[in-house]
Amino acid sequence: MKVAAFTGGRDVPSARFRVRQYIKPLVDLGIAITEMPTSTSVYPPAAHGRRPVWAMARLAELSWQTVRSHGFDKVLLQREMLSSLATLEGLTKRPRLLDVDDAIHLLRDGRFARRIAGACDRVICGNPWLADVYSGWARDVVILPTGVDADLYHPVEKTQADRLIIGWIGTAANFPYLESLEPALKIVLTRYDHVALRIVSNARPSFPTIDPSRWSFARWSEPREVSEIQATDIGLMPLADTDWARGKCSFKMLQYMACGKPVIVSPIGMNADVLAMDALGIGARGIDEWVDALDLLVASHMKRSRLGQAGRGVIERTFSLAMLAPQLARHLRDV
């Protein structure tokens, strides 16, 4: 079976983890996915004056890809083609599936999301909250969590046992969540001389009240991503208590867990669901709870090890690529 997959581009995380990493394992299951990324970003440029040119260029490229899609058996749309707008989706080959791993329906009153969902034969949602939303708009909705390649993301023995690293990895768009932890991080870094904070992202965050010598920044790159996570001791995933956060699929949390790291996360949306699967981390709300959670894990190597092992087990049982690839194959076949 041949599937044309429209994605947001080479550098979009959701395209990488919801589509691209499945290409190889699906070949063994009799499904050939051809990704159709465009050379233009799915996201509009910051300068408003450049947006009309961007939109025209993107739609021109998508037009011939839409025509090309009719040479395939099915189409997988990874989100909308043009940010927050319904455009050519309804002209692609059917059967047509929409993959959603974010609360895009909160943009523009959700009109474009409803229209695209209604034009698809199945919607694949990354978590139950999204599935509830799309069940009102689509005839067929299934849930597929974002998978982790458990062979690639795996635990390793740390080489610097004398230093304890609190880690965060993510895009600059999520800095507001990270920077909300600054008071808690400052307290913990001041309290423990052997603890440091490590940030991996596409841009450098700002922590004006934290001593610059106590935290470091590494620019994200795909080849170094796994080793950066493996070098941490505690993984953080703070969120705000909003519907936008409830649309997230806990992927940062899952990456830490796959590498055997204990997690401290905001127990919002899917984060809370994953926390309930085993004793794999700590849910924290408010600065005091974040400080207490960090204190607990900093103080006990045994606790960190036990939680990290439990998290790795959850990945292997529930969120590994090996477990989820057959599910995606079934969702593609039986629509």
mmCIF file of all heavy atoms in Angstrom, residues 62 121 143 165 168 229 285-286 335:
data_model
loop_
_atom_site.group_PDB
_atom_site.id
_atom_site.type_symbol
_atom_site.label_atom_id
_atom_site.label_comp_id
_atom_site.label_asym_id
_atom_site.label_seq_id
_atom_site.Cartn_x
_atom_site.Cartn_y
_atom_site.Cartn_z
ATOM 1 N N LEU A 62 2.535 22.990 -2.928
ATOM 2 C CA LEU A 62 1.544 22.017 -2.476
ATOM 3 C C LEU A 62 0.575 21.624 -3.594
ATOM 4 O O LEU A 62 0.028 20.515 -3.581
ATOM 5 C CB LEU A 62 0.761 22.591 -1.296
ATOM 6 C CG LEU A 62 1.508 22.633 0.047
ATOM 7 C CD1 LEU A 62 0.776 23.536 1.028
ATOM 8 C CD2 LEU A 62 1.660 21.224 0.624
ATOM 9 N N ASP A 121 -11.430 10.903 6.149
ATOM 10 C CA ASP A 121 -12.123 9.651 6.445
ATOM 11 C C ASP A 121 -11.760 9.109 7.823
ATOM 12 O O ASP A 121 -12.474 8.256 8.357
ATOM 13 C CB ASP A 121 -11.786 8.617 5.369
ATOM 14 C CG ASP A 121 -12.184 9.113 3.983
ATOM 15 O OD1 ASP A 121 -13.387 9.107 3.685
ATOM 16 O OD2 ASP A 121 -11.290 9.532 3.230
ATOM 17 N N ILE A 143 -6.911 6.992 18.472
ATOM 18 C CA ILE A 143 -5.818 7.575 19.260
ATOM 19 C C ILE A 143 -4.531 6.821 18.973
ATOM 20 O O ILE A 143 -4.498 5.588 19.027
ATOM 21 C CB ILE A 143 -6.124 7.523 20.771
ATOM 22 C CG1 ILE A 143 -7.390 8.319 21.098
ATOM 23 C CG2 ILE A 143 -4.934 8.062 21.580
ATOM 24 C CD1 ILE A 143 -7.865 8.147 22.529
ATOM 25 N N ILE A 165 22.780 16.801 36.709
ATOM 26 C CA ILE A 165 22.255 17.716 35.699
ATOM 27 C C ILE A 165 20.732 17.657 35.679
ATOM 28 O O ILE A 165 20.141 16.594 35.492
ATOM 29 C CB ILE A 165 22.791 17.377 34.296
ATOM 30 C CG1 ILE A 165 24.323 17.335 34.294
ATOM 31 C CG2 ILE A 165 22.268 18.377 33.271
ATOM 32 C CD1 ILE A 165 24.966 18.661 34.647
ATOM 33 N N TRP A 168 16.313 20.205 30.447
ATOM 34 C CA TRP A 168 15.093 20.562 29.707
ATOM 35 C C TRP A 168 15.466 20.618 28.242
ATOM 36 O O TRP A 168 16.457 21.228 27.864
ATOM 37 C CB TRP A 168 14.548 21.903 30.160
ATOM 38 C CG TRP A 168 13.246 22.321 29.506
ATOM 39 C CD1 TRP A 168 11.993 22.098 29.963
ATOM 40 C CD2 TRP A 168 13.090 23.061 28.274
ATOM 41 N NE1 TRP A 168 11.054 22.631 29.111
ATOM 42 C CE2 TRP A 168 11.698 23.225 28.054
ATOM 43 C CE3 TRP A 168 13.979 23.576 27.328
ATOM 44 C CZ2 TRP A 168 11.180 23.889 26.950
ATOM 45 C CZ3 TRP A 168 13.472 24.232 26.211
ATOM 46 C CH2 TRP A 168 12.087 24.389 26.035
ATOM 47 N N ILE A 229 20.122 14.154 26.228
ATOM 48 C CA ILE A 229 19.163 13.627 27.200
ATOM 49 C C ILE A 229 19.834 12.594 28.099
ATOM 50 O O ILE A 229 19.617 12.568 29.323
ATOM 51 C CB ILE A 229 17.947 13.022 26.479
ATOM 52 C CG1 ILE A 229 17.193 14.111 25.701
ATOM 53 C CG2 ILE A 229 17.003 12.342 27.477
ATOM 54 C CD1 ILE A 229 16.075 13.589 24.827
ATOM 55 N N ARG A 285 2.828 21.139 40.987
ATOM 56 C CA ARG A 285 2.092 22.371 40.698
ATOM 57 C C ARG A 285 2.596 23.457 41.651
ATOM 58 O O ARG A 285 2.633 23.255 42.858
ATOM 59 C CB ARG A 285 0.590 22.182 40.923
ATOM 60 C CG ARG A 285 -0.075 21.147 40.005
ATOM 61 C CD ARG A 285 -1.549 21.013 40.360
ATOM 62 N NE ARG A 285 -2.232 19.982 39.600
ATOM 63 C CZ ARG A 285 -2.875 20.192 38.456
ATOM 64 N NH1 ARG A 285 -2.920 21.421 37.946
ATOM 65 N NH2 ARG A 285 -3.477 19.205 37.830
ATOM 66 N N GLY A 286 2.951 24.590 41.132
ATOM 67 C CA GLY A 286 3.403 25.683 41.991
ATOM 68 C C GLY A 286 4.871 25.548 42.356
ATOM 69 O O GLY A 286 5.441 24.454 42.360
ATOM 70 N N VAL A 335 -9.089 1.964 7.050
ATOM 71 C CA VAL A 335 -9.973 3.111 6.814
ATOM 72 C C VAL A 335 -10.592 2.974 5.429
ATOM 73 O O VAL A 335 -9.885 2.599 4.474
ATOM 74 C CB VAL A 335 -9.195 4.451 6.942
ATOM 75 C CG1 VAL A 335 -8.122 4.577 5.885
ATOM 76 C CG2 VAL A 335 -10.127 5.632 6.872
#
